[in-house]
Amino acid sequence: MLEVRGLNKSFSGFRAVSDVDLTVETGQIAAVIGPNGAGKSTLFNLITGHLRPDTGSVRLDGRDITGAAPHRIVRMGVGRSFQRTNIFAKLTVFENLQAAFLVHRGRGRDFWSRAAALYRDDTERLLASIGLVDQRDTVAGTLSYGNQKQLELGLALASDPALLLLDEPTAGMSATETHDTIRLIERIAGERSLTLLFTEHDMDVVFQIAQKIAVLHQGRVIADGAPEEVRADPEVRRVYLGEH
Ligand SMILES: Nc1ncnc2c1ncn2[C@@H]1O[C@H](COP(=O)(O)OP(=O)(O)OP(=O)(O)O)[C@@H](O)[C@H]1O
Ligand SMILES: [Mg+2]
């Protein structure tokens, strides 16, 4: 589904992503791990069009999407969440999700109807699916951190993606929140037959759900394969797992 070849990105001479190859099969749950500054978020930004690579290509279902605008890539079925939350802090949970549907689907023939009526049923369904029904009228900025990340997952799902990229979905969460979020992501991925690519620092989370792991170190992929292979890889142990 996703094929990254020879991807490079430098920031004023500093190679943040260096000759990266990465493939994700349809339906797979894949993780990109690596120490702080390894280039994980930069790689995601290159895939989703938020950054343009210096060289290399990104293919989605065989189609070249290298350098395409983010909204076009979303329309082609790639959703994402951000490392820092991206919600509208002053809107309620319900309004956040409804706004996401409006952004992705537009008003169409409903142009003259009141915004409040639009995508009400879709929003209700999504609200239930991400487990935030009880918080529907809460102003998003006042949600717990864990619930904010849950809401952000909902925003990404409003575009009905086939491939979902999650940048540290459990960052900053308590152990309980992390556990619940992982269960939620697994359930939603299963229900929607999503292909998932995520970054994560919590190794328990990574080894619990990833079917394939790529390890980035200083912008390069130093290992890529099944969790058991990656866990046993001497270089991975030396540069990464050994640090924890
Ligand atoms: N827009 C930018 N301008 C300059 N340097 C950048 C920019 N974005 C990222 N970098 C640098 O590129 C390197 C990779 O950063 P990136 O955010 O991709 O790492 P990461 O693996 O996501 O780290 P973390 O685990 O802390 O989120 C870092 O050294 C970072 O400082
Ligand atoms: Mg990052």
Side-chain angles (χ1 to χ4, degrees), residues 72 92 117 182 204:
R72 284 195 48 217
T92 67
I182 291 310
D204 292 335

Side-chain angles (χ1 to χ4, degrees), residues 9-12 14-17 32-45 51 83-84 167-168 199-201 216 219:
K9 181 68 183 176
S10 295
F11 296 112
S12 36
F14 173 78
R15 278 255 197 133
V17 165
V32 176
I33 65 171
N36 290 117
K40 304 179 297 292
S41 294
T42 304
L43 174 61
F44 274 26
N45 287 331
L51 284 173
Q83 189 166 351
R84 288 178 199 81
D167 197 352
E168 299 197 26
T199 72
E200 185 57 64
H201 282 289
L216 273 186

Side-chain angles (χ1 to χ4, degrees), residues 12-217:
S12 36
F14 173 78
R15 278 255 197 133
V17 165
S18 191
D19 292 324
V20 166
D21 291 341
L22 180 75
T23 57
V24 182
E25 310 287 331
T26 303
Q28 203 169 39
I29 298 185
V32 176
I33 65 171
N36 290 117
K40 304 179 297 292
S41 294
T42 304
L43 174 61
F44 274 26
N45 287 331
L46 293 169
I47 293 170
T48 57
H50 292 86
L51 284 173
R52 190 180 283 268
D54 300 329
T55 57
S57 65
V58 180
R59 286 177 174 277
L60 182 71
D61 280 326
R63 269 210 286 177
D64 194 339
I65 60 163
T66 318
H71 70 273
R72 284 195 48 217
I73 294 179
V74 168
R75 217 167 286 157
M76 285 185 251
V78 182
R80 79 169 289 180
S81 74
F82 291 84
Q83 189 166 351
R84 288 178 199 81
T85 59
N86 201 30
I87 57 177
F88 298 106
K90 292 185 177 168
L91 298 186
T92 67
V93 168
F94 186 90
E95 289 164 345
N96 263 274
L97 294 172
Q98 190 179 33
F101 279 116
L102 272 162
V103 165
H104 295 300
R105 297 190 190 163
R107 298 189 63 157
R109 283 187 292 144
D110 293 328
F111 190 82
W112 299 108
S113 63
R114 288 175 57 239
L118 292 171
Y119 303 116
R120 187 159 280 283
D121 296 345
D122 298 285
T123 305
E124 294 290 358
R125 269 195 296 276
L126 185 52
L127 203 53
S129 161
I130 59 171
L132 284 181
V133 172
D134 292 347
Q135 313 277 5
R136 72 193 302 292
D137 297 321
T138 306
V139 173
T142 68
L143 289 172
S144 74
Y145 186 71
N147 284 349
Q148 288 191 13
K149 299 285 275 189
Q150 242 167 297
L151 174 56
E152 220 205 329
L153 179 64
L155 298 183
L157 291 171
S159 68
D160 199 18
L163 170 66
L164 184 61
L165 275 66
L166 301 174
D167 197 352
E168 299 197 26
T170 71
M173 287 187 181
S174 69
T176 318
E177 283 175 333
T178 297
H179 176 268
D180 293 349
T181 302
I182 291 310
R183 290 281 97 73
L184 177 71
I185 291 170
E186 276 189 314
R187 176 172 59 72
I188 287 173
E191 281 171 5
R192 295 174 172 244
S193 309
L194 288 175
T195 305
L196 207 61
L197 179 63
F198 71 103
T199 72
E200 185 57 64
H201 282 289
D202 185 331
M203 285 306 115
D204 292 335
V205 171
V206 171
F207 284 98
Q208 248 180 67
I209 68 172
Q211 297 158 348
K212 168 213 169 86
I213 301 175
V215 186
L216 273 186
H217 179 57

